[in-house]
Amino acid sequence: MTSLRVIGLASGTSMDGIDAAVAELRLTGGTIELIPLGHQEITYPGELRAALLGVLAPAGGTAAELCRLEAEVGTAFAAAAEGLHAEHGAGLVVTLGQPVHREGPAALRLGQPVRIAGRTGLPVVSVPGGHDVGAALDRLWLAGAAEPVAAVDLGSAAGLTVVGPDRPALAFDTGPGTVLLDAAARMISDGVWQRDVDGELASQGSVRPDLLDALLADVYYVKSTPKFATTGYFHAGYLRTALEGIPYVPAVDLLATLVGLTAVTVADACRAHDAGRVIVSGGGVHNPALIAALRRALDPVPVLTSDELGLPTGAKEAYAAALLGFQTWFGTPDRPAAWITPGREPLRLPEPITTAATDLRVPVTAAGL
């Protein structure tokens, strides 16, 4: 048996902060076992979050701003890794950095791994922006299911991975996840609110068919897969344009309609690929109005959260990072393209493993696949 304790670090384009997780990973034969040991979300300081939001498309940022943020994000990630290492101990850190722009499958991520290595003393694996870490985990985690299973990441965009018997795994973005909901919350509150907490306002409204139809007319939804929502495609200006020519929409109805948009587009994509079960994760899971709408749109297809299957919803991407770091460290044939930054000690990699993993198992405390 090959084993390693790994810290995974990730953040999304909502710029809330850093998702940090630590896991024990073990490889026996073709099976990787991932045992979650703990996770936490470290909130960005207000000034850093504002600066990061300021460089997102369509606003964009200068080279000077990106250089400064590269260093500041690296320092924040290093502090997060140091905290988990002090509590749990680890042999490796994996960082996905802070994405600030996505163009198709490629992404620009900030955060200097050398700062993490310097602060923790551990070697650091950093994964290029073009690698879809969530989909890589899903392909192993859902392998062997008797029917097609869809894993949905309800982040800023809604990412979908479909894994099924006798078919290649497919990963793409169905459209907006929470990005338009958050943009609407800021619009209606003049920037005071960052989101509709717990979907409280959306649950009081009704879907406006005229606005929903206008939003669904976007060409994005008829593009062939795989497709990815470029950073800055769905944003506040996009929403204002969609509202032009639509009679007055109360705030609660606006939010309810945007909840409906995400639910309908995710459900349509799941059905198009014959998903017999849907597993959701990401920040949108904490919006009861969104999850209720998704369950209605997918009925009778069951919708589970990744929590129910052993993977914490808010830290799934961080655990995915840990998995990819484990594969990189041991040189498995299915490892991603990645960089390794040495820690305090000279870098000594183990003998490469020549057999690719066939599945991933996570201890399950509730229902299972």
Side-chain angles (χ1 to χ4, degrees):
M1 180 180 70
T2 300
S3 66
L4 184 66
R5 186 165 293 190
V6 185
I7 292 170
L9 305 172
S11 184
T13 51
S14 61
M15 309 296 187
D16 289 331
I18 302 163
D19 294 322
V22 58
E24 190 78 25
L25 290 117
R26 302 168 182 166
L27 175 63
T28 305
T31 298
I32 296 177
E33 184 179 23
L34 188 155
I35 304 171
L37 299 179
H39 67 276
Q40 54 185 288
E41 181 180 352
I42 297 92
T43 303
Y44 280 139
E47 290 184 1
L48 176 55
R49 182 173 189 268
L52 286 167
L53 288 171
V55 301
L56 289 180
T62 65
E65 288 172 322
L66 291 173
C67 284
R68 176 175 59 82
L69 289 172
E70 167 81 351
E72 290 186 21
V73 169
T75 298
F77 271 62
E82 184 181 42
L84 273 184
H85 182 40
E87 183 176 356
H88 296 279
L92 181 70
V93 180
V94 189
T95 177
L96 303 183
Q98 173 62 65
V100 293
H101 188 75
R102 186 173 187 177
E103 195 72 34
L108 173 63
R109 302 175 187 268
L110 302 180
Q112 298 171 345
V114 68
R115 290 179 180 253
I116 302 171
R119 189 145 173 181
T120 63
L122 298 174
V124 178
V125 170
S126 47
V127 182
H131 196 85
D132 191 336
V133 293
L137 180 145
D138 292 331
R139 289 185 182 101
L140 284 176
W141 189 37
L142 305 179
E147 60 186 350
V149 180
V152 179
D153 177 24
L154 290 173
S156 291
L160 176 69
T161 305
V162 182
V163 180
D166 305 319
R167 66 164 72 180
L170 177 66
F172 62 97
D173 291 341
T174 63
T178 60
V179 62
L180 292 181
L181 282 165
D182 294 345
R186 290 191 290 270
M187 282 172 52
I188 64 178
S189 68
D190 293 326
V192 174
W193 302 335
Q194 295 303 307
R195 59 183 51 83
D196 177 15
V197 178
D198 295 330
E200 184 177 346
L201 293 176
S203 64
Q204 299 174 34
S206 301
V207 172
R208 279 282 297 265
D210 52 350
L211 176 58
L212 181 59
D213 288 344
L215 291 165
L216 288 173
D218 192 288
V219 67
Y220 183 85
Y221 303 113
V222 296
K223 287 183 178 179
S224 58
T225 56
K227 56 185 177 180
F228 300 93
T230 300
T231 302
Y233 189 92
F234 298 108
H235 55 86
Y238 174 96
L239 187 54
R240 291 189 184 96
T241 299
L243 285 165
E244 291 177 0
I246 303 289
Y248 172 71
V249 180
V252 291
D253 290 353
L254 174 60
L255 290 163
T257 303
L258 295 174
V259 161
L261 174 68
T262 294
V264 167
T265 50
V266 169
D268 285 350
C270 290
R271 284 204 185 87
H273 295 282
D274 304 317
R277 185 176 307 193
V278 176
I279 302 166
V280 292
S281 61
V285 171
H286 303 298
N287 184 325
L290 178 54
I291 294 302
L294 185 59
R295 286 195 163 111
R296 288 193 299 270
L298 278 165
D299 187 60
V301 176
V303 177
L304 306 174
T305 68
S306 64
D307 279 311
E308 296 175 81
L309 302 176
L311 273 179
T313 57
K316 185 185 170 191
E317 190 172 23
Y319 282 117
L323 169 66
L324 294 193
F326 179 84
Q327 293 170 301
T328 299
W329 187 253
F330 288 103
T332 62
D334 50 348
R335 69 187 182 278
W339 298 283
I340 301 178
T341 302
R344 192 169 295 119
E345 302 297 326
L347 188 63
R348 296 186 179 90
L349 294 173
E351 191 70 21
I353 293 170
T354 58
T355 304
T358 56
D359 67 315
L360 173 73
R361 296 181 183 173
V362 180
V364 176
T365 56
L369 287 173

